[in-house]
Amino acid sequence: MTVDAVSLVDDDVPRVWIGCLHHYAAGFLVGHWFNAIDADRVSLADVHRGSSLSHIQCEETYCLDIDNIPVSRETDPMEAALWGRLHQEAGEEWPAVCAWVRSGCHERQGDTDLPDMTAFHDRYVGRWESFAEYAETLADETGMMTDWPIEATRYFNWGSWTRDMAFDYAVVDAPGPDYGVFVFRSC
């Protein structure tokens, strides 16, 4: 079975550039971009397709570049496929999952960089215009000031309270076009 190479487009689908390590060591870049979800099924023939170089003496491939995966390093095809499956599982929450991983506060699956999705769902509290908006909504929803005298609510320092509360959260800027912040309960 062959796996088709893909072109880069502006979406959030994780992709990897899989290359032949034998030819890379010899000074030749032989490889293609593939969807990460298919990376563990990419063969040496798939990597060499369209090149004039033979894959007969080759033994190993590696993901030498990544796109839309929230780590900053090369990876092997098996791990890349796990990222692709995670993207599929996360669906519309993928940008928030990526933000959580990039924050450095995510819980990992075993000894990988892959996030534990149960922990993600426990900690993710949404995308907000700002952390202050989240804090005020939380105060309203929990009835924090319900029994307070009017004088106390009038002089309450929202700025100080919000800054103090932020110590218990990871706040990550959201990328465009929607912007805002992703908010996670602290690690």
Side-chain angles (χ1 to χ4, degrees):
M1 181 174 125
T2 62
V3 177
D4 294 326
V6 297
S7 62
L8 293 178
V9 291
D10 286 335
D11 61 12
D12 67 353
V13 174
R15 288 174 290 271
V16 290
W17 195 89
I18 302 178
C20 170
L21 288 182
H22 172 79
H23 283 105
Y24 181 73
F28 299 99
L29 280 178
V30 176
H32 298 284
W33 283 99
F34 296 91
N35 283 331
I37 199 166
D38 299 322
D40 59 347
R41 297 183 300 130
V42 173
S43 68
L44 284 165
D46 295 330
V47 169
H48 286 80
R49 188 177 306 125
S51 80
S52 60
L53 302 170
S54 170
H55 68 277
I56 293 173
Q57 72 277 21
C58 305
E59 296 178 3
E60 192 173 3
T61 61
Y62 205 70
C63 302
L64 300 173
D65 199 358
I66 61 174
D67 187 40
N68 297 323
I69 295 176
V71 293
S72 302
R73 60 176 170 71
E74 298 172 349
T75 186
D76 64 77
M78 299 299 266
E79 182 182 355
L82 292 173
W83 281 109
R85 291 181 192 109
L86 183 67
H87 168 265
Q88 194 172 50
E89 176 188 336
E92 291 181 7
E93 291 180 326
W94 180 247
V97 170
C98 290
W100 192 43
V101 171
R102 287 185 188 113
S103 77
C105 289
H106 72 290
E107 284 191 31
R108 293 167 170 78
Q109 292 180 22
D111 61 352
T112 72
D113 284 327
L114 292 155
D116 177 321
M117 290 303 287
T118 300
F120 168 81
H121 287 110
D122 288 345
R123 297 213 170 114
Y124 181 52
V125 295
R127 184 181 211 155
W128 300 84
E129 289 295 317
S130 66
F131 185 73
E133 179 191 20
Y134 167 72
E136 288 180 27
T137 301
L138 181 64
D140 287 343
E141 288 177 353
T142 59
M144 182 177 93
M145 297 179 162
T146 302
D147 295 327
W148 286 23
I150 290 180
E151 293 80 21
T153 59
R154 186 177 325 150
Y155 292 105
F156 183 73
N157 188 329
W158 282 100
S160 291
W161 182 74
T162 301
R163 277 190 305 280
D164 290 348
M165 195 173 119
F167 286 112
D168 294 330
Y169 290 83
V171 181
V172 183
D173 289 336
D178 297 328
Y179 297 102
V181 295
F182 294 109
V183 178
F184 305 93
R185 287 183 193 87
S186 193
C187 322

